[in-house]
Amino acid sequence: MTVMTKADQGAGTAVQAPELAREGNPRPALMSVEDAKALDVGQMAELFKAHLNPGQLHFMKLLGFHKVKVERAEGMYYIDQNGRKILDFFGGFGSLAFGHNHPRILEARQTFQAEKRHEIAIAFMSQYATALAHNLAACSPGDLDMVFLGSSGSEAMEAAVKLAERAAGPKRPKIVYAENSFHGKTKGVLALTDGQLYRGEFRLTDNVVRVPFGDIEAVENAFRSDPEIGAIVLETIQGGGGIIEAEPEFWQKLRRLCDEYGVLWVADEVQCGFGRTGRFYAFEHYGVVPDITALAKSLGAGKAAVGAMIAKRDVYMKAYGSPKTAMIHAMATFGGIGEACVTAIEGLNVLYDEALIENAEATGAYLIERLNALKEKYPRIIKDVRGRGCMVGLEFQDFSQTLPAVMRPMVAMLDDKLKGSLSGFVGAALLRDHDVLVAFTEYNRNVIRLEPPLIVGREHVDTFVDALDALLSRGVVSIVKDFARSQMG
């Protein structure tokens, strides 16, 4: 099959104005589902470059990801065009709590489709949306019981921030956020996302105050010095920042400060929530409850796009509690869509029926234990191992520190420019030579991010860590040489 882009189709031809009168609509050169299924990696790359993101393809080629066509996925594995099974320690940035194509999730969706149940019921109440809201309230501690349903983490966080601003009132519009934070790429929460790459040159809202993550004195100083602050928005564990936690005392003191100053606390649990750390919410480790929180990613059970904001009832009612204000931020068209809600409902039941939260805690602890043993074995390569449950960061030393002593002074001047290179080399080699997929972090590029599905077993951990051990045993110089050869091939 020949794949033609629009540029190919129109090359060398003059553009003519459409006819004013035309019977019917001419059918464009559409691909069918079977056409899409039959694409090979070369054709996929051609279309990706032509219509999606040429720059991203560059990085995929560096890592060797462009050579993989996923034919199917099951449990902990992707299966590529050659029948190769790839162990998934990436987990879609925490989106695959149940692994790939969990049978109960598939059955729930297939039954929904076979019964021709409704999807969009904007004019009516939806039994599926109301049931999902009930389940989320039941899973949430304290008075977190009012739910807004959306389609992504960014949408859930947008809803959370808007709710906080309205509930705080017009005299307190300022919002505190943390260094190295990531809350989404939509324009509202982008003002609270501390990454210049994502901020670009967009003009963002300026009612924000930035503090170091985990610095309770900085938070208190901000609250005390600026009475216009009405909310604080924090990831409980920073994902893009490199899997960073604050001390337990920080969260307890934060709750007291918010109560003392009347500031609303929004906990972003989009990545760290849904059982990933060994509790349903990561903030539950600290015995505190925020005023508003948000979930997404694994809430859709790997088969649907679902996000949710969950808030204390008094906060919600203050913002949207009257008929006059109820529709200011009501659900969008696809918020609460039927099959997505059914998927999430079944997922929550599977999460508890199969004790996946407990498995995340126990198997995650085993993963960290084994990685710490590697850290002791390769102290010149591995700088730190940190995280909770199935949300783990493996940080490499700066590049110069991994090399023989005679080379370090010369290379040290390039450490900043080389950040992320070793993690990239290791990630590429794990996929190429050991059939293991890992992820990376946005701000500290020396960190490999490990967020395997919560169904992960000790045998999967052993496979991954043994592969990493075998790779690191070759030494950094050998790893770099092999990477260079792979790029020339």
Side-chain angles (χ1 to χ4, degrees):
M1 179 179 60
T2 301
V3 176
M4 294 183 65
T5 68
K6 286 184 179 179
D8 296 328
Q9 295 167 351
T13 60
V15 177
Q16 297 181 355
E19 298 175 11
L20 295 179
R22 180 181 294 170
E23 291 186 7
N25 295 294
R27 191 180 193 281
L30 300 177
M31 298 181 71
S32 69
V33 173
E34 288 303 313
D35 289 338
K37 182 179 176 181
L39 290 172
D40 62 31
V41 289
Q43 293 166 331
M44 290 161 61
E46 183 182 342
L47 291 175
F48 194 98
K49 183 177 180 180
H51 302 301
L52 285 173
N53 193 327
Q56 185 179 355
L57 184 61
H58 165 77
F59 293 107
M60 295 174 78
K61 287 182 176 179
L62 282 178
L63 295 167
F65 290 1
H66 71 298
K67 297 178 181 179
V68 176
K69 177 189 176 184
V70 177
E71 292 286 4
R72 60 189 181 90
E74 184 175 354
M76 287 291 299
Y77 296 92
Y78 290 103
I79 296 91
D80 77 359
Q81 71 272 27
N82 301 312
R84 177 174 64 145
K85 294 177 69 176
I86 299 170
L87 181 62
D88 186 5
F89 265 68
F90 182 149
F93 293 124
S95 299
L96 293 163
F98 308 101
H100 300 275
N101 290 307
H102 190 288
R104 276 183 58 178
I105 303 299
L106 292 182
E107 183 180 359
R109 291 169 64 85
Q110 289 163 358
T111 299
F112 183 91
Q113 294 166 8
E115 294 176 349
K116 297 183 179 179
R117 297 287 181 169
H118 70 81
E119 293 285 6
I120 299 172
I122 298 172
F124 311 105
M125 290 184 293
S126 165
Q127 61 267 51
Y128 311 116
T130 52
L132 176 56
H134 164 82
N135 285 359
L136 288 169
C139 293
S140 302
D143 299 326
L144 291 168
D145 56 9
M146 297 299 292
V147 177
F148 168 92
L149 297 174
S151 302
S152 69
S154 290
E155 187 181 0
M157 283 304 298
E158 291 277 0
V161 172
K162 288 177 72 176
L163 172 62
E165 187 172 334
R166 271 195 61 81
K171 293 183 179 180
R172 306 189 68 176
K174 292 187 178 180
I175 301 170
V176 175
Y177 74 101
E179 294 176 0
N180 294 325
S181 59
F182 183 90
H183 298 292
K185 298 177 185 176
T186 50
K187 205 155 184 280
V189 289
L190 192 55
L192 308 172
T193 291
D194 189 39
Q196 197 54 48
L197 172 66
Y198 301 122
R199 285 171 165 249
E201 297 179 356
F202 298 113
R203 184 168 182 175
L204 305 175
T205 57
D206 58 4
N207 60 324
V208 294
V209 178
R210 181 172 176 263
V211 297
F213 181 69
D215 187 336
I216 199 64
E217 290 186 8
V219 173
E220 185 170 12
N221 289 338
F223 288 3
R224 184 189 302 117
S225 62
D226 194 341
E228 290 190 351
I229 290 174
I232 182 168
V233 178
L234 299 171
E235 297 160 272
T236 313
I237 299 177
Q238 289 191 325
I243 317 299
I244 305 297
E245 292 186 82
E247 294 296 324
E249 296 79 13
F250 170 84
W251 301 107
Q252 294 152 10
K253 291 178 181 178
L254 175 68
R255 180 68 274 177
R256 290 197 293 271
L257 283 176
C258 286
D259 292 339
E260 179 183 347
Y261 286 91
V263 174
L264 296 171
W265 168 24
V266 178
D268 184 342
E269 293 261 340
V270 167
Q271 189 169 157
C272 61
F274 206 82
R276 179 151 296 278
T277 67
R279 299 291 185 274
F280 187 78
Y281 293 106
F283 60 71
E284 292 183 272
H285 289 285
Y286 312 116
V288 291
V289 180
D291 300 291
I292 307 167
T293 189
L295 293 169
K297 296 193 181 293
S298 284
L299 181 57
K303 300 300 289 186
V306 187
M309 174 201 76
I310 307 97
K312 291 182 175 179
R313 185 175 186 85
D314 62 335
V315 175
Y316 184 91
M317 295 302 287
K318 190 173 182 181
Y320 306 127
S322 71
K324 184 179 180 180
T325 60
M327 302 304 291
I328 291 174
H329 197 85
M331 286 192 295
T333 305
F334 295 109
I337 193 169
E339 191 172 331
C341 286
V342 166
T343 305
I345 290 168
E346 186 68 2
L348 285 167
N349 280 275
V350 171
L351 187 71
Y352 287 95
D353 290 347
E354 298 189 359
L356 296 184
I357 300 176
E358 291 79 5
N359 185 63
E361 183 174 36
T363 309
Y366 178 63
L367 171 62
I368 291 171
E369 176 187 336
R370 288 222 54 195
L371 289 175
N372 273 319
L374 283 193
K375 178 187 172 188
E376 293 181 10
K377 187 175 182 180
Y378 304 106
R380 279 176 42 196
I381 300 177
I382 298 177
K383 180 178 181 180
D384 194 21
V385 175
R386 53 182 178 265
R388 282 180 181 267
C390 290
M391 187 173 184
V392 177
L394 174 69
E395 183 175 2
F396 292 112
Q397 300 280 7
D398 281 339
F399 200 84
S400 65
Q401 300 306 304
T402 69
L403 299 174
V406 67
M407 300 175 64
R408 290 177 200 169
M410 180 172 49
V411 178
M413 295 181 293
L414 301 173
D415 272 340
D416 190 57
K417 291 184 178 180
L418 291 172
K419 271 193 182 299
S421 56
L422 182 56
S423 58
F425 298 157
V426 169
L430 282 171
L431 177 63
R432 183 186 67 239
D433 301 331
H434 299 278
D435 304 333
V436 176
L437 180 66
V438 297
F440 310 97
T441 62
E442 285 88 347
Y443 303 138
N444 186 343
R445 299 189 302 279
N446 281 349
V447 176
I448 281 181
R449 177 172 10 190
L450 304 171
E451 294 182 348
L454 307 191
I455 62 170
V456 63
R458 290 167 71 97
E459 68 276 16
H460 303 120
V461 170
D462 289 339
T463 297
F464 162 64
V465 177
D466 290 349
L468 182 61
D469 188 7
L471 179 60
L472 298 183
S473 69
R474 289 155 44 191
V476 170
V477 173
S478 175
I479 293 171
V480 173
K481 287 181 178 178
D482 286 349
F483 178 81
R485 279 195 291 268
S486 73
Q487 295 300 301
M488 292 184 291

